[in-house]
Amino acid sequence: MSTPRWRVVLIEDDTEMRRFFEGCVTAHPELELAASFGMLAPARAWLDEHPADVLLTDLALPDGHGLALLQHVVRTQPACEVLVVSVFGDEDTVIACVEAGAVGYIQKDSTPADVGRIILGVKHGESPISPMIARKLLARLRQHGGRTQPQPVEPSLPALELTPRESDVLELIARGYSYAEIARLQDISKHTVQSHIKNLYSKLAVHSRGEAVFEASRMGLLDRTRRSP
């Protein structure tokens, strides 16, 4: 009797990087590439109709941030382990994803052998998290009295009001744009971008880009900005 293979779903908008991860999965005898996408919307539609064992997702995607899909999959497919694709220096975003339900992350400069081993490892109870990120998570655990999961927003709370420009900047932050790129796209100075981001951090009660994206996604602000004309 053959050993069943774990079904992996991949979301990565960079074509070359997506092919790299596809090759890593298909080359491993215990993994099966169930589906591969470059955008969030078709991935979510597929996952709503099909079970998966592992979701490997990039975060800054053309049609939104992977954190929203991560939260959706954690709710609808609790048996599916979620790994995020990260780059060095993006620790705050990784922490926000772990708090939302991800079991760990894979860096984009990983070797093919490491990718297969990490994916398989999570199905055997491992959590690929660096000591630095683990230490930050422990610090947050102490700060929140033993809770790493943020509390859900109560329906009775008033909606957070953002200016149209703040909403635009928030959307671009979620898509992974740099301050300089946001300034160019919005035709404003980098200093103005920083002022808008400072206001966003204050309104969201956060201190980093990753925390801002997490809180905005949790509160439905990113969905609201995408629905706005």
Side-chain angles (χ1 to χ4, degrees):
M1 182 180 297
S2 60
T3 303
R5 296 188 296 171
W6 300 110
R7 291 164 53 85
V8 179
V9 176
L10 169 65
I11 309 174
E12 168 60 63
D13 65 312
D14 183 271
T15 302
E16 184 177 349
M17 187 60 62
R18 186 167 67 251
R19 288 174 179 168
F20 167 75
F21 282 117
E22 287 173 350
C24 295
V25 173
T26 56
H28 200 289
E30 296 182 60
L31 301 176
E32 173 189 344
L33 183 65
S36 180
F37 303 95
M39 299 182 73
L40 285 176
R44 176 165 179 159
W46 191 95
L47 285 163
D48 283 342
E49 298 292 333
H50 304 86
D53 298 304
V54 178
L55 170 63
L56 177 60
T57 181
D58 197 3
L59 295 175
L61 294 156
D63 58 340
H65 197 276
L67 181 59
L69 179 63
L70 187 164
Q71 294 171 308
H72 178 71
V73 170
V74 168
R75 290 194 305 268
T76 59
Q77 294 203 42
C80 179
E81 310 279 11
V82 182
L83 283 164
V84 297
V85 177
S86 173
V87 294
F88 181 76
D90 202 20
E91 291 82 7
D92 287 332
T93 302
V94 170
I95 289 174
C97 290
V98 171
E99 290 183 322
V103 296
Y105 66 98
I106 293 179
Q107 290 188 338
K108 290 193 175 185
D109 59 355
S110 298
T111 66
D114 284 341
V115 171
R117 179 186 57 78
I118 291 171
I119 294 174
L120 189 62
V122 301
K123 298 308 296 184
H124 294 138
E126 297 178 11
S127 291
I129 298 174
S130 71
M132 177 178 63
I133 288 180
R135 191 166 188 172
K136 287 187 176 183
L137 284 169
L138 287 172
R140 289 197 182 196
L141 186 67
R142 290 191 292 270
Q143 290 172 1
H144 291 84
R147 291 183 290 103
T148 56
Q149 288 283 5
Q151 295 300 298
V153 177
E154 296 295 332
S156 59
L157 291 179
L160 185 66
E161 292 298 327
L162 301 180
T163 67
R165 182 73 79 178
E166 287 170 349
S167 295
D168 292 340
V169 171
L170 174 62
E171 178 71 14
L172 293 171
I173 288 175
R175 294 188 179 189
Y177 287 98
S178 67
Y179 290 1
E181 290 170 328
I182 294 173
R184 177 177 56 81
L185 290 169
Q186 293 291 303
D187 194 24
I188 55 180
S189 70
K190 187 176 177 180
H191 176 73
T192 303
V193 171
Q194 291 172 332
S195 295
H196 287 309
I197 291 175
K198 182 179 179 180
N199 291 337
L200 282 169
Y201 284 7
S202 177
K203 290 182 177 182
L204 293 168
V206 299
H207 303 284
S208 70
R209 176 190 291 249
E211 290 177 336
V213 172
F214 176 80
E215 283 298 319
S217 178
R218 184 173 69 87
M219 298 173 71
L221 294 174
L222 293 178
D223 292 336
R224 191 187 309 170
T225 58
R226 279 192 283 274
R227 289 195 298 267
S228 299

